[in-house]
Amino acid sequence: MRKISTDHLFGLSVLIFIYYLLIAQKLFFTGVYSNEGLFFAEKGALLVEGNLDGVKLVGLTFPQLPFMVTFLFSIFNATFAPFITSAVGTAALFFIIVNSTRGHQYGSWLLLGVLLTFVLHPAFIFIAVSGKSAYLGLIFFYLFISSLFKYFHSNTSYHISVASIHFSLLIFCWFKFVWLTLFLLPVIFFAALQSMQIVQSEPIEKIAFAFNKISVRRKLVNKTLAVYLIVFLLPIVAIFIFRLLNLSYTGDANHFLDSPYANYSAVINQTENFNSYNELRFNSVFPEVNFLITIRIMIFAPLLLICVGMLKNMNRNVMVILALFFFMEFLKMKYPGVYIPVQFYAAFICVCWALIINSRNIRVFRFTKQFYFALILLQIITGYLLISASFVPEERKYLNALTSILLTQKIEVDEDKAISEAIAKLEINKGILSDDATSYRIIALTGSSRCFLTPGEGKFLAALGQPQHNVSYVLISKTQNPFNGFGLLNQNTLLSWRSQGIRFRQVIENRNWELYSVEN
């Protein structure tokens, strides 16, 4: 099969983007949304229309890079912008991967496998159409892993410097990947060991020889530390400075992680994605517990099997995969109550392509083209099975919606859509008092933030104390709302106001929210 030009690959990526955009548009305007997508949409609306400190809003919203990229697309449609961005970003990830295959001996075969995965795999479709920031994390993760593999082959500082930049950008998309620094030290040690001119061929013999010779041992330690610092000094310093900025602005260095005003996952990881929440509502036949994460990864990414056949005498690549396995197991131990989202599993599919594309041992691939395509198809099937039984409700919701589209069945509409449309039709004089720590979905779906008064604005505290003089409406969280305990405006606040003689009239309600007009 002949090599495909960059222009043709770009055109194919544009078609992939249109494919994703049509699905995203269908789901969005039907009433299927993601929390992260609406969170970014609401922050973008506040940045443009709100009366608050824009620099502080941009600087403290996390994940930061995806928010900035999303804001660039808000010129088209502020609410739909995150969903356009995720479609563009996933198509860009596709282009980056397939463009890397151009120099490969079996690039055409790899291209077909990547194309099938991006078109049919439910994880990549979910990432592309949900408005989530996973696409950007996958891009930088793939570039980081590819740079590491290139360094293993060339042993030049250029690739390791590029890897450092990619890793820095990665942790500003997925902060949990900062823990990967702990698990890549053995990888860098093996890379330094194999780059040294030692007669022994076996790794154990090389290690024994290096530690028995003082000069070799000193050289090995210096090279390992030098590479480790080159890779991780920049991201660690960047996070340190970012935490200092959070501390100076808010008094809390972890504000970007723990505050629901800065990070949507601060609430989601204690409600929808938390163990106790899901045990009451959903049971899976394959539990996500320690020491079974690796098995789930192998089921989700069976393409790893073909990589094993290409790893003979390539201990550094083996160490990379093992480091990622240990990293995932560590995440489950570090955050035992939070389920691992699908993009962390999808990252292993990207690792497989990075390893195959950058591997020198491709002789085995000549005999496994059929096996490769069989694994690609198996990967799509196992991806569907695991996501349909996902512990994260949002992933199951999107997969069910996609299935409903294919079967031309009715799609379950988000409840916040109706209340947002009703609010948009109201005549509002003084505004609506709302706490966007929990109500960001409604603010985003209303289409404009001008009518909402949120905690980031100066008048909020005055309106909280005397709503009758400052706002026309108040948006109150119901007791059964899963976000109820994370906001300032709940049933206790309403009782407190009523005890002060302030009268309210209910205007709109749904299962989780009530909108009251202030009568006096």
Side-chain angles (χ1 to χ4, degrees), residues 68-135:
M68 293 179 178
V69 175
T70 298
F71 183 71
L72 298 177
F73 287 86
S74 61
I75 58 174
F76 301 104
N77 183 319
T79 308
F80 190 51
F83 304 87
I84 300 175
T85 310
S86 63
V88 172
T90 310
L93 173 64
F94 170 79
F95 177 78
I96 291 169
I97 294 175
V98 296
N99 193 51
S100 303
T101 66
R102 292 185 68 249
H104 198 279
Q105 182 178 350
Y106 302 104
S108 298
W109 297 98
L110 291 173
L111 168 61
L112 289 176
V114 176
L115 180 61
L116 283 174
T117 301
F118 273 80
V119 171
L120 299 177
H121 199 290
F124 288 91
I125 297 175
F126 167 73
I127 290 167
V129 305
S130 62
K132 297 175 72 67
S133 64
Y135 68 92

Side-chain angles (χ1 to χ4, degrees), residues 241-276:
I241 294 173
F242 189 65
R243 286 170 59 87
L244 283 181
L245 291 174
N246 276 261
L247 182 63
S248 62
Y249 268 95
T250 66
D252 180 9
N254 289 326
H255 176 83
F256 69 102
L257 295 176
D258 299 335
S259 172
Y261 300 104
N263 192 330
Y264 90 104
S265 62
V267 174
I268 295 300
N269 285 345
Q270 298 183 60
T271 53
E272 292 185 8
N273 294 0
F274 196 66
N275 284 2
S276 60

Side-chain angles (χ1 to χ4, degrees), residues 206-233:
K206 283 187 175 184
I207 293 173
F209 179 81
F211 278 92
N212 286 330
K213 296 288 185 179
I214 297 176
S215 59
V216 178
R217 181 171 68 237
R218 185 184 299 114
K219 185 178 179 181
L220 177 61
V221 171
N222 289 342
K223 188 167 186 177
T224 301
L225 291 178
V227 174
Y228 193 79
L229 288 176
I230 292 173
V231 177
F232 298 120
L233 185 61

Side-chain angles (χ1 to χ4, degrees), residues 21 53 117 132 134 198 214 239 241 307 357 361 427 480 520:
L21 187 63
D53 188 345
T117 301
K132 297 175 72 67
I198 299 177
I214 297 176
I239 284 296
I241 294 173
C307 295
I357 292 168
N361 184 15
E427 292 186 6
Q480 63 267 32
N520 57 324

